[in-house]
Amino acid sequence: MYKWIHQFGSPKYFYDISLHLSKWVTIVCIVCFIGGLYGGLVLAPADYQQGDSFRIIYVHVPAAWMSLFIYVILATSGAISLIWHIKITDIIARVSAPIGASFTFLALSTGAIWGKPMWGTYWVWDARLTSELILLFLYLGYIALQSAFDDKRIAARAGAILALIGIINIPIIHYSVEWWSTLHQGPTITKLDKPSIHLTMLIPLILMVIAFKTFYIAIALIKTRSEILKYECNSSWVKKILGN
Amino acid sequence: MSLNNFFAMGGYAAYVWSAYGISFIVLFLNIFLAVRNERKTIDELKKRLGSNNK
Amino acid sequence: MTPRRKRIFIVSFILIGISIAATLILTAFEENLMYFYSPTEIANGEAPKVRAFRIGGLVLTDSVKRNPNNLKVNFVLTDTINEIKVIYDGILPDLFREGQGIVANGKMKSDNIFVADQVLAKHDENYMPPEVAKALEDAGAQLPYQENKIVK
């Protein structure tokens, strides 16, 4: 395990693997995105209650899930880098934070647009919406911390601590709709009993979730490679790549 | 289903299309910034490498 | 500005930001952690008497009475145990209908009359095509929005 982590943490190894990985995740992302959009906007029937406005779900839910997922990545990378001092996880966390912030913004704004016709308001201060807004603040704080320190290692450590403290917000966001009475409805897919979305509506949603996840991986890989090149610009393998 | 019906979104056109519009802008910005940063990094490093070799 | 000054400035900026956020959370959660009260909670005297608060429940079937000349509407909100009459003057959300879960913001006028200044619809987590919903209804199944989901 330790050996594997260090091999994975080796910048050159990561760089080589990520080039192969990039190609595949990009293909999967594009295919799922087109399929999900077509399925969600054209094939899926209108909802019995919400009509066509429910189609916002196909961008809202994947964005919201990714906002949580990327924060877990930040905290996990933070823990790994605090324990093992691995450069690559610092980089992954640093480049992921703006992507996570953008997905959080997307979840909040599409949710507001969806809330207006259905709930009758853009925004309410219920537990779900408030905790998701706090997530956006956590991301912005993390990004600000990264630019506050010139020493990247101190910045990574400070960011790791913030990410680990903020991780408490993730279960709060997820369970807020069950723990407290909220205007936001309960979970549709992640609950354990019968799924409460019709199959024709569910399949495009799953495709969009995969598309958003692979989108994040693809963008994070591009950014991580750039950072690796900067870090390792004096090593021979980078010079060889740039020489071509 | 006609194309007009599709764009009308059952009367929710403004909401549905603005939500998708924002989504496309955010996704596009992510791609644009990542690719621009990659090009800039490679250009700068190549320049530095070139001046070191002279 | 020296780099050290800059760091101190930014870190204090973050600290101020976090404390503002924390205050915001605490005040918001203090009052709104429970976003709404049910008619039973109001009957038990758990809801604020003077201050505005939110009430959540189902719109009782056949209780909605609209004034044909203006936007005034009144209806009965129920959690199947207790009922409260709600008076409202304004635009209702698209999802407002009998049997629907709603959340209204306002004040108690008397023991069981609630004057709302905002009515929001609370939709459920179920999504299905209209034909499926109709088939379910024809088969005698209760549609999700007709179940009494808000009852504790």
Side-chain angles (χ1 to χ4, degrees):
Chain A
M1 175 71 181
Y2 189 73
K3 196 185 156 201
W4 181 83
I5 286 175
H6 269 268
Q7 193 188 20
F8 187 72
S10 135
K12 184 185 183 318
Y13 182 78
F14 188 91
Y15 191 94
D16 291 343
I17 277 200
S18 89
L19 279 174
H20 287 279
L21 206 59
S22 268
K23 197 167 60 189
W24 289 108
V25 291
T26 308
I27 292 169
V28 173
C29 177
I30 291 171
V31 169
C32 287
F33 195 69
I34 292 171
L37 274 185
Y38 186 72
L41 289 171
V42 181
L43 295 182
D47 180 58
Y48 76 116
Q49 274 201 93
Q50 304 190 36
D52 285 304
S53 76
F54 103 99
R55 296 182 198 280
I56 295 173
I57 199 175
Y58 297 113
V59 285
H60 175 73
V61 166
W65 280 10
M66 287 315 293
S67 73
L68 302 185
F69 179 79
I70 295 174
Y71 197 88
V72 173
I73 298 262
L74 288 197
T76 315
S77 317
I80 291 175
S81 83
L82 283 179
I83 299 165
W84 287 295
H85 303 290
I86 294 177
K87 218 184 285 173
I88 204 84
T89 55
D90 287 354
I91 297 178
I92 290 172
R94 191 167 69 241
V95 302
S96 295
I99 312 175
S102 74
F103 280 133
T104 314
F105 166 77
L106 200 55
L108 288 168
S109 53
T110 56
I113 293 169
W114 194 2
K116 185 62 185 168
M118 287 303 111
W119 295 346
T121 180
Y122 288 109
W123 183 264
V124 290
W125 290 100
D126 82 353
R128 170 55 76 76
L129 278 69
T130 308
S131 55
E132 182 76 12
L133 183 65
I134 291 163
L135 182 68
L136 182 63
F137 289 152
L138 282 171
Y139 272 121
L140 296 180
Y142 187 95
I143 294 166
L145 265 183
Q146 297 306 302
S147 53
F149 297 99
D150 297 324
D151 185 337
K152 291 257 162 50
R153 279 180 58 195
I154 298 175
R157 202 161 302 171
I161 291 165
L162 175 67
L164 285 170
I165 294 171
I167 195 78
I168 184 70
N169 193 34
I170 298 299
I172 291 179
I173 294 175
H174 184 80
Y175 290 107
S176 56
V177 289
E178 291 169 18
W179 290 344
W180 302 294
S181 62
T182 55
L183 188 63
H184 195 287
Q185 73 282 11
T188 295
I189 296 172
T190 52
K191 63 179 180 187
L192 290 172
D193 55 349
K194 56 172 184 170
S196 44
I197 179 167
H198 195 260
L199 200 62
T200 50
M201 299 162 157
L202 177 63
I203 291 168
L205 185 57
I206 291 171
L207 287 176
M208 287 304 268
V209 166
I210 298 170
F212 271 59
K213 192 154 279 185
T214 47
F215 179 87
Y216 157 67
I217 297 171
I219 297 295
L221 285 178
I222 294 174
K223 288 179 155 184
T224 304
R225 279 203 301 272
S226 310
E227 294 296 306
I228 289 177
L229 289 181
K230 268 187 230 169
Y231 256 126
E232 301 281 310
C233 61
N234 291 321
S235 64
S236 56
W237 68 271
V238 171
K239 285 180 178 160
K240 211 169 138 194
I241 290 171
L242 293 173
N244 293 334
Chain B
M1 191 181 70
S2 80
L3 213 58
N4 274 345
N5 277 345
F6 174 69
F7 285 115
M9 276 292 153
Y12 292 112
Y15 300 107
V16 174
W17 295 121
S18 61
Y20 278 81
I22 289 177
S23 307
F24 278 117
I25 291 169
V26 167
L27 295 182
F28 175 78
L29 274 178
N30 268 307
I31 299 172
F32 175 76
L33 292 174
V35 171
R36 194 185 66 170
N37 177 261
E38 185 183 40
R39 291 216 181 116
K40 224 173 84 186
T41 306
I42 290 177
D43 283 352
E44 270 170 21
L45 290 178
K46 271 187 177 166
K47 214 179 273 174
R48 206 196 305 175
L49 202 69
S51 61
N52 281 352
N53 288 348
K54 268 172 206 166
Chain C
M1 224 190 279
T2 63
R4 208 169 78 96
R5 268 265 182 81
K6 190 182 159 205
R7 272 206 302 278
I8 293 169
F9 178 75
I10 294 175
V11 169
S12 47
F13 177 77
I14 292 166
L15 283 177
I16 292 167
I18 289 175
S19 37
I20 289 173
T23 326
L24 222 151
I25 304 158
L26 288 175
T27 45
F29 273 27
E30 182 77 55
E31 297 193 346
N32 295 344
L33 210 51
M34 290 319 262
Y35 189 69
F36 52 78
Y37 294 89
S38 71
T40 300
E41 283 166 335
I42 293 164
N44 293 343
E46 288 167 36
K49 299 274 185 305
V50 191
R51 199 162 57 72
F53 65 98
R54 292 185 199 83
I55 174 174
L58 298 163
V59 180
L60 190 70
T61 308
D62 295 330
S63 76
V64 180
K65 291 182 184 67
R66 289 169 204 265
N67 187 322
N69 301 318
N70 51 37
L71 289 171
K72 286 199 172 93
V73 60
N74 67 69
F75 53 88
V76 174
L77 207 58
T78 176
D79 58 7
T80 70
I81 301 162
N82 284 284
E83 292 177 354
I84 283 199
K85 191 177 175 186
V86 178
I87 304 173
Y88 177 60
D89 183 3
I91 297 162
L92 292 164
D94 292 6
L95 276 184
F96 183 89
R97 69 193 81 182
E98 290 175 348
Q100 177 75 40
I102 65 125
V103 173
N105 186 47
K107 284 179 180 174
M108 294 306 290
K109 190 180 167 195
S110 64
D111 261 358
N112 63 357
I113 294 182
F114 184 87
V115 181
D117 51 36
Q118 188 186 34
V119 172
L120 305 174
K122 180 175 164 58
H123 66 76
D124 57 48
E125 68 276 23
N126 299 287
Y127 302 91
M128 63 179 105
E131 309 88 71
V132 176
K134 194 175 177 308
L136 275 177
E137 202 166 24
D138 291 347
Q142 268 206 324
L143 283 182
Y145 77 87
Q146 293 166 329
E147 287 170 16
N148 302 314
K149 301 195 75 134
I150 291 173
V151 181
K152 293 227 169 83

